[in-house]
């Protein structure tokens, strides 16, 4: 059998990046003469990519300024440092290393553009990641478009594949890409977990290897043949 594949969302699944995104958003608001938002408020803007984040941030704080929405999007990207306040969720790096040691091939599918996504993955020790589809990888496509998931999975071969994420968008992406979905409960979802119909849920990444094996139909500890 070909090697099993695990495709992971990034923000809210492998890393808690809300503080770094919020810092860039608040720097933009400061330049516009507007008060800052809290990290908890900023989390409600996450899930549809950076452009939508900026749109939601501006709508929340008073609307698009005279400079225009696109100018604010560009400025946000200039201000954003993906490594400034981001951290890996406890156990996430160890869980992926364990699966990689068993022969799993691992990729990332994220709305974040490729350059900052690779930058934060390398900074936080995710050296087992082999492929990445970012928000600028597939022209005109963002999750839940299944082309995003296909772009992340294709470089990893043709073994059984499992998708892991934290949000409603991730659940829709898994359904569109016809992959079993594992839901991390510690991320940025906006509604009840049961409404997303995951194959399984987990609150700590220590549980991920066993759940991934089960979702892929593998025996405990099994990887590539």
């Amino acid at each position: 059998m070909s090697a099993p594949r695990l495709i992971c969302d990034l923000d809210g699944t492998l890393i808690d990046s809300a503080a770094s995104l919020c810092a860039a958003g608040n720097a933009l608001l400061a330049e516009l003469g507007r008060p800052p938002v809290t990290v908890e408020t900023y989390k409600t803007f996450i899930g549809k990519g950076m452009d939508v984040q900026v749109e939601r941030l501006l709508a929340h704080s008073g609307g698009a300024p005279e400079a225009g929405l696109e100018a604010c999007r560009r400025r946000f990207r200039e201000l954003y440092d993906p490594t400034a306040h981001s951290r890996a969720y406890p156990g996430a790096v160890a869980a992926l290393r364990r699966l990689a040691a068993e022969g799993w091939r691992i990729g990332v599918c994220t709305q974040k553009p490729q350059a900052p996504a690779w930058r934060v993955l390398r900074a936080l020790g995710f050296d087992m990641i082999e492929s990445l589809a970012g928000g600028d990888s597939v022209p005109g496509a963002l999750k839940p478009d299944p082309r995003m998931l296909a772009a992340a999975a294709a470089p990893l071969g043709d073994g059984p594949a499992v998708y892991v994420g934290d949000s409603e968008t991730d659940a829709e992406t898994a359904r569109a890409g016809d992959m079993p979905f594992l839901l991390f409960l510690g991320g940025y979802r906006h509604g009840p977990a049961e409404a997303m119909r995951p194959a399984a849920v987990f609150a700590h990444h220590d549980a991920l290897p066993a759940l991934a094996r089960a979702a892929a139909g593998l025996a405990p500890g099994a990887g590539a043949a």
Side-chain angles (χ1 to χ4, degrees):
M1 183 183 70
S2 299
R5 301 170 292 170
L6 186 72
I7 313 301
C8 304
D9 171 55
L10 181 57
D11 300 271
T13 299
L14 296 181
I15 67 170
D16 185 353
S17 57
S20 62
L21 292 163
C22 185
N26 281 336
L28 176 63
L29 291 178
E31 291 183 358
L32 297 174
R34 300 181 184 185
V37 299
T38 66
V39 173
E40 289 306 310
T41 295
Y42 197 92
K43 286 179 180 179
T44 68
F45 308 148
I46 297 173
K48 297 291 184 180
M50 282 189 178
D51 286 350
V52 173
Q53 282 179 43
V54 174
E55 184 177 345
R56 289 172 173 172
L57 174 67
L58 294 176
H60 174 85
S61 63
E66 290 185 7
L69 179 58
E70 192 54 42
C72 288
R73 287 169 170 166
R74 288 195 301 270
R75 183 59 179 148
F76 179 91
R77 291 173 188 269
E78 292 170 354
L79 293 166
Y80 176 51
D81 179 353
T83 66
H85 304 284
S86 296
R87 62 180 182 87
Y89 283 109
V93 172
L96 296 194
R97 284 184 178 159
R98 181 174 177 183
L99 287 169
E102 294 175 8
W104 285 69
R105 303 189 69 185
I106 302 171
V108 162
C109 182
T110 175
Q111 310 285 44
K112 192 187 296 296
Q114 293 178 77
W118 276 122
R119 182 179 169 193
V120 72
L121 283 167
R122 289 169 179 143
L124 295 179
F126 289 96
D127 52 7
M128 75 298 293
I129 303 295
E130 296 185 61
S131 72
L132 186 147
D136 52 357
S137 296
V138 181
L142 287 173
K143 295 185 295 183
D145 191 316
R147 290 178 293 169
M148 290 284 293
L149 202 49
L156 305 178
D158 58 1
V162 177
Y163 183 56
V164 56
D166 71 295
S167 70
E168 288 82 358
T169 297
D170 290 320
E172 293 172 23
T173 302
R175 283 194 292 272
D178 195 27
M179 286 187 191
F181 177 57
L182 303 178
L183 174 63
F184 175 53
L185 297 174
Y188 311 141
R189 75 182 189 282
H190 304 304
E194 57 269 20
M196 298 161 65
R197 296 175 293 169
V201 302
F202 63 101
H204 193 286
H205 284 77
D206 287 352
L208 178 56
L211 294 177
R213 294 183 209 107
L218 302 176

